[in-house]
Amino acid sequence: MFKPMKTSLMAIIVGAVILSTSIVLWLTQEEHEELFLSSIKGHFSSLARNLRSELQPFMETRPMNFAEMEEELSSLVAYEAIEYASIYDDDYNELVFFQGARYDSQKTFPLLEASKPWELGSTQIDGHMVTFERIGPQNFPIGYLVLVNDITQPIVRSKRSLLWQSLPLIIVALVSILLVSFLLINRLLRPLYTLSKFTQEVSESKDYALRYEASHHNEFGKLGDNINSLMDTIEVELTINHEQNQTLIEQQQTMTRLANFDSLTGLPNRQFVMDNLRLELARARRADEDLVLMFFDLDGFKGINDSLGHETGDLILIEVASRVTTLLREGDLVARLGGDEFIILPDRDTSDASVRNMANRVISAFSEPFQLRGLSLTVGVSIGIARATDAGYELSQLMSNADLAMYRSKANGRGTYTIFTLDMVDSHKRKLSIANSIDQSIKHDEFIVYYQPKVDKHGLIIAFEALIRWQHPEFGMIMPSEFIPIAERGGKITSITKWMIEQVAKEMPTIQSLLKRRFRVSVNLSGHDLRHSGLFDMIHDIFDRHMVNPEYIEFEVTESAYLENFALSNKFFRRVGNMGCAISLDDFGTGYSSLSYLTQISIDTLKIDRQFIRELETSERSRLVTGTIIDLAKRLSLTICAEGIENHNQWDYLLEHGCDHVQGYLFSEPVPLDSLPFLPTRFHRRALKSE
Ligand code: C2E
Ligand code: MG
Ligand code: MG
């Protein structure tokens, strides 16, 4: 409970004033009594002395004049306080007695009788003043006079009168003192009230810039100064706190941005999209709705990165993000998962038509070449689409399904989209099983090299393409088109390439013994091999161990594999070229076809893709492309080889257009080493025609 200090102070002051006034009053009364008594004493002494002188003549006459003596005593009636008076002779026999108005025979007389003999002069005895005077000279006293006065009542009366006289003064003094004290206390405490009001204002307004205006040079002034310096400290601390808070908020925002957004493209990142997807899947499951996830990556992005540098790659990613973002409707989400992988989460509409429409729009967004740093680059996109219902609303399953569908798109020739179907899982399982048994199969020698001859214009076998086969214990013969991509993704391709080169090196003497002239055996390399820095040393070591003449070897690499690893490929092929190996660009015409790079790479042969040869008879465009490629190769002084020759017309056409080498089922399918002796050493056009 709040108890004002003013009240307490006033109570103390009132108490102190009353106490001191009472003490002063009491002392005054005591002093007054003292003075009053001594005045009474003097008064009665002189009265007694006067009376003694008056009486002396009447007592000296003989006989004594009693009448006069009584007369004298009766004059005492005028003195109210006199109780009685007596005249004694020199033997203390009472001669005359006077009884005053206050005489009380019960109280006064016995008391005075008990006090005899009295001393000369005035003596105070129990409320009475007894004046005892000798009449006559000291040596011959003739009698004595006794005057007894009541002093109690006069004293009381006198004291009372004194009190009544001083009371107004006392009251005035008391009131003045209290008033002055009140004013003084008020005045003294005023700064304290102001301070209290100030602190309350600060605590209510939370405005720590306020300051107390200290105008007093006392303790309150000091307190005000101290409060002000406390406010300074609080203000400084608040500013520091505010700044720290601001920094923390900014850091928090940066952290959130870094944690949830891709710094390059500004798109949400994997973390963000995964969290979002988890929530969306839960929501879709509850609402019994479907949800579609579109996963895509860029075709040939790695090649661009390697050949044109990461900065160009980054610019492409930024442009991709911007192109895809403009396609989206409100509510759709696009995010970058990392590398060249992106994800699109279309909003509610999950109908097949809507999904296909969006996939087509994404693909068409890539049809325009990317204009970057003066270059016009074509980048494709492979899309995989999966549905939450197929994945049982499981995030990892959904991602894996979309991934599976995307790889199906890549396998189907890129620039396409695939919607996941459950049968893909079976094929996925087969792929997994294949991927998991590669290491074992190398150990168990389950791979076999098949050779397919290449013939020159005269039908002479001038080379063999070594093509791998896998005699799988469970799946039977597996073709490279199935297991090579799996091995590439599973990081097993280098072991296969090593096995292949080693096997070719081992079988080389047998082939040499069969053919007895210069030929080359071509070995296919994967793009992944080219990224492996130890590839050259590995080949060199194998050639050394098996004493293979590098001039008998050719390496085939697809143009996309070459260009996706441009710098490394160039270096590698220059080294193997210097060693004597030939280099052939496989499946030419299907990949980049930007042609300008042809002058920058070290190759010997262009292999026209089978697709053009197949369509030679039916498609004018294929004839045109084939003719142009042959022409181009000639201009660049490159050997030209066509693969997939299945009939005479195709061979005729190629020969007419000056194709150097041909390869195809028309001559022979790929065959194992032990079937090579059964191949004719020369194929005759006419003979073939007549077959
Ligand atoms: P490729 O290097 O373009 O090989 C030519 C493919 O065309 C071979 O298929 C061959 O059997 C086939 N072929 C040749 N002539 C004809 C024809 O007249 N008609 C038809 N329909 N096909 C013909 P294969 O052996 O199935 O190999 C497929 C691909 O697998 C190869 O294409 C090559 O890219 C890859 N490959 C094969 N062996 C290896 C290997 O040891 N290492 C690597 N990295 N890849 C390999
Ligand atoms: Mg090949
Ligand atoms: Mg080929």
Side-chain angles (χ1 to χ4, degrees):
M1 198 182 76
F2 180 70
K3 243 180 156 183
M5 221 168 129
K6 203 159 55 174
T7 318
S8 310
L9 281 174
M10 279 307 288
I12 293 169
I13 288 172
V14 167
V17 167
I18 289 174
L19 186 69
S20 49
T21 312
S22 309
I23 291 170
V24 168
L25 206 62
W26 178 76
L27 288 174
T28 313
Q29 294 274 29
E30 286 299 301
E31 188 61 29
H32 178 78
E33 189 179 322
E34 228 25 41
L35 285 171
F36 186 76
L37 279 175
S38 86
S39 123
I40 285 183
K41 212 174 186 173
H43 182 68
F44 281 103
S45 291
S46 50
L47 181 68
R49 272 195 303 275
N50 283 342
L51 209 55
R52 181 186 67 180
S53 310
E54 298 286 336
L55 287 172
Q56 196 172 343
F58 302 122
M59 288 185 74
E60 278 169 350
T61 58
R62 290 289 181 260
M64 288 182 193
N65 190 348
F66 284 99
E68 283 301 329
M69 282 161 63
E70 273 176 19
E71 182 72 27
E72 280 299 325
L73 283 191
S74 61
S75 67
L76 293 175
V77 167
Y79 299 94
E80 198 189 328
I82 290 182
E83 288 176 73
Y84 75 86
S86 284
I87 301 168
Y88 297 90
D89 64 12
D90 54 352
D91 287 328
Y92 296 102
N93 297 312
E94 191 175 64
L95 300 178
V96 181
F97 173 76
F98 169 77
Q99 186 179 318
R102 298 258 178 90
Y103 179 72
D104 184 346
S105 60
Q106 301 288 313
K107 277 188 199 163
T108 323
F109 190 71
L111 188 84
L112 292 172
E113 279 303 302
S115 314
K116 273 182 183 172
W118 306 303
E119 281 176 30
L120 284 175
S122 292
T123 315
Q124 199 181 322
I125 301 169
D126 210 8
H128 307 273
M129 181 71 80
V130 179
T131 311
F132 187 50
E133 279 295 330
R134 190 180 61 242
I135 305 170
Q138 191 180 356
N139 300 337
F140 303 105
I142 53 169
Y144 297 93
L145 173 67
V146 174
L147 283 184
V148 176
N149 302 299
D150 171 27
I151 53 170
T152 320
Q153 276 190 33
I155 286 176
V156 169
R157 221 178 300 134
S158 171
K159 276 187 180 175
R160 196 174 296 146
S161 122
L162 176 73
L163 188 66
W164 280 116
Q165 274 168 18
S166 52
L167 201 61
L169 204 71
I170 289 171
I171 289 171
V172 169
L174 263 176
V175 169
S176 314
I177 288 171
L178 290 178
L179 205 68
V180 170
S181 307
F182 180 77
L183 291 176
L184 272 177
I185 286 172
N186 249 1
R187 197 181 150 79
L188 269 175
L189 294 183
R190 195 172 304 130
L192 202 58
Y193 295 139
T194 327
L195 264 174
S196 151
K197 215 171 128 196
F198 169 75
T199 49
Q200 194 175 351
E201 195 183 327
V202 170
S203 85
E204 278 168 8
S205 68
K206 305 269 179 293
D207 180 359
Y208 300 100
L210 291 176
R211 288 295 175 273
Y212 176 70
E213 281 175 29
S215 54
H216 310 275
H217 302 288
N218 54 14
E219 285 81 353
F220 293 125
K222 188 94 188 111
L223 184 62
D225 286 345
N226 289 348
I227 287 179
N228 280 347
S229 50
L230 194 69
M231 298 287 291
D232 285 346
T233 316
I234 291 175
E235 210 184 353
V236 170
E237 286 298 320
L238 274 181
T239 316
I240 294 171
N241 266 0
H242 181 75
E243 280 167 8
Q244 281 175 344
N245 264 356
Q246 211 51 35
T247 320
L248 275 177
I249 289 170
E250 279 165 20
Q251 280 175 345
Q252 177 76 36
Q253 284 168 346
T254 315
M255 300 267 287
T256 314
R257 209 173 41 248
L258 285 179
N260 291 311
F261 290 88
D262 170 40
S263 55
L264 180 68
T265 59
L267 292 180
N269 63 10
R270 175 182 282 272
Q271 160 93 31
F272 181 90
V273 85
M274 289 300 143
D275 290 348
N276 215 289
L277 206 50
R278 218 167 274 128
L279 293 176
E280 281 295 302
L281 278 172
R283 185 199 57 75
R285 188 202 288 266
R286 276 198 307 275
D288 201 20
E289 287 174 6
D290 203 358
L291 185 146
V292 164
L293 184 130
M294 205 174 268
F295 190 78
F296 69 87
D297 86 0
L298 312 181
D299 300 332
F301 179 72
K302 189 153 187 350
I304 292 177
N305 241 353
D306 287 350
S307 56
L308 301 173
H310 286 266
E311 283 165 23
T312 312
D314 284 352
L315 291 177
I316 286 186
L317 291 174
I318 293 169
E319 174 75 18
V320 166
S322 124
R323 284 190 189 189
V324 175
T325 309
T326 53
L327 293 178
L328 302 183
R329 299 157 304 190
E330 201 171 320
D332 295 342
L333 175 80
V334 59
R336 183 179 169 214
L337 290 188
D340 61 340
E341 290 178 345
F342 293 82
I343 212 171
I344 295 175
L345 215 84
D347 200 20
R348 309 291 150 96
D349 189 359
T350 57
S351 67
D352 236 36
S354 159
V355 171
R356 284 177 195 281
N357 179 297
M358 175 166 279
N360 280 324
R361 279 190 295 147
V362 172
I363 291 171
S364 61
F366 286 78
S367 59
E368 279 286 304
F370 289 69
Q371 307 292 347
L372 298 168
R373 301 180 157 180
L375 293 170
S376 174
L377 301 165
T378 308
V379 179
V381 61
S382 299
I383 306 175
I385 299 163
R387 291 179 177 282
T389 40
D390 289 335
Y393 294 94
E394 286 301 322
L395 176 60
S396 56
Q397 190 60 53
L398 182 67
M399 290 294 286
S400 145
N401 291 355
D403 195 50
L404 217 64
M406 189 195 71
Y407 275 104
R408 189 58 71 94
S409 293
K410 283 213 184 291
N412 288 348
R414 306 179 167 204
T416 53
Y417 68 85
T418 308
I419 299 179
F420 171 84
T421 49
L422 289 170
D423 58 286
M424 285 180 197
V425 177
D426 290 338
S427 100
H428 184 59
K429 280 185 186 149
R430 178 178 159 104
K431 279 179 191 156
L432 268 183
S433 157
I434 288 175
N436 290 335
S437 51
I438 290 176
D439 287 335
Q440 283 292 98
S441 61
I442 293 177
K443 266 191 220 149
H444 297 162
D445 248 347
E446 289 170 14
F447 291 109
I448 314 158
V449 184
Y450 272 47
Y451 295 92
Q452 186 180 31
K454 295 179 186 176
V455 302
D456 67 3
K457 288 175 181 168
H458 312 290
L460 282 173
I461 295 179
I462 43 87
F464 292 101
E465 177 168 7
L467 295 158
I468 196 164
R469 300 286 181 266
W470 182 357
Q471 187 60 50
H472 195 280
E474 186 186 340
F475 303 129
M477 182 72 92
I478 314 178
M479 299 303 276
S481 47
E482 183 178 3
F483 69 82
I484 292 286
I486 299 174
E488 283 177 338
R489 258 184 279 154
K492 302 282 165 66
I493 190 68
T494 316
S495 322
I496 292 180
T497 305
K498 187 178 175 208
W499 180 89
M500 187 70 179
I501 298 172
E502 185 112 36
Q503 195 61 22
V504 167
K506 279 185 203 164
E507 295 176 0
M508 203 63 175
T510 316
I511 308 171
Q512 267 171 327
S513 67
L514 286 171
L515 217 56
K516 308 248 178 1
R517 64 186 139 83
R518 266 300 295 277
F519 66 94
R520 283 193 193 261
V521 174
S522 8
V523 175
N524 289 283
L525 291 179
S526 139
H528 292 256
D529 292 325
L530 297 171
R531 263 171 250 154
H532 181 235
S533 55
L535 179 66
F536 178 81
D537 293 339
M538 178 186 88
I539 292 170
H540 196 271
D541 172 58
I542 294 172
F543 288 180
D544 258 9
R545 277 191 282 114
H546 297 281
M547 288 180 299
V548 174
N549 181 352
E551 290 179 358
Y552 277 71
I553 300 291
E554 182 182 57
F555 289 104
E556 288 190 16
V557 63
T558 61
E559 59 173 338
S560 53
Y562 195 118
L563 296 177
E564 279 172 17
N565 309 285
F566 190 77
L568 280 171
S569 303
N570 247 356
K571 189 177 165 202
F572 168 77
F573 287 121
R574 214 169 292 130
R575 291 179 84 186
V576 290
N578 289 340
M579 211 161 60
C581 299
I583 294 117
S584 172
L585 208 56
D586 209 351
D587 304 343
F588 187 76
T590 53
Y592 277 72
S593 307
S594 78
L595 302 181
S596 56
Y597 69 87
L598 282 178
T599 53
Q600 300 167 33
I601 61 176
S602 29
I603 53 162
D604 305 282
T605 305
L606 277 188
K607 278 187 87 174
I608 308 174
D609 192 68
R610 206 167 68 218
Q611 160 194 337
F612 300 111
I613 309 303
R614 193 174 55 227
E615 294 168 359
L616 270 183
E617 291 144 286
T618 53
S619 154
E620 176 61 28
R621 188 183 159 271
S622 289
R623 279 197 292 277
L624 241 155
V625 172
T626 309
T628 313
I629 293 174
I630 296 171
D631 197 42
L632 177 85
K634 297 248 164 271
R635 282 172 204 275
L636 294 170
S637 310
L638 298 173
T639 307
I640 186 89
C641 175
E643 60 183 350
I645 318 301
E646 291 185 357
N647 62 49
H648 318 291
N649 294 341
Q650 291 165 344
W651 193 18
D652 284 346
Y653 183 89
L654 292 164
L655 283 177
E656 276 162 31
H657 284 80
C659 181
D660 300 308
H661 302 147
V662 284
Q663 171 187 355
Y665 291 173
L666 178 65
F667 312 103
S668 167
E669 285 188 14
V671 290
L673 183 72
D674 51 14
S675 300
L676 285 186
F678 305 108
L679 287 178
T681 49
R682 184 173 176 178
F683 297 95
H684 298 281
R685 276 176 74 190
R686 219 171 295 151
L688 285 169
K689 265 188 181 174
S690 60
E691 270 174 26

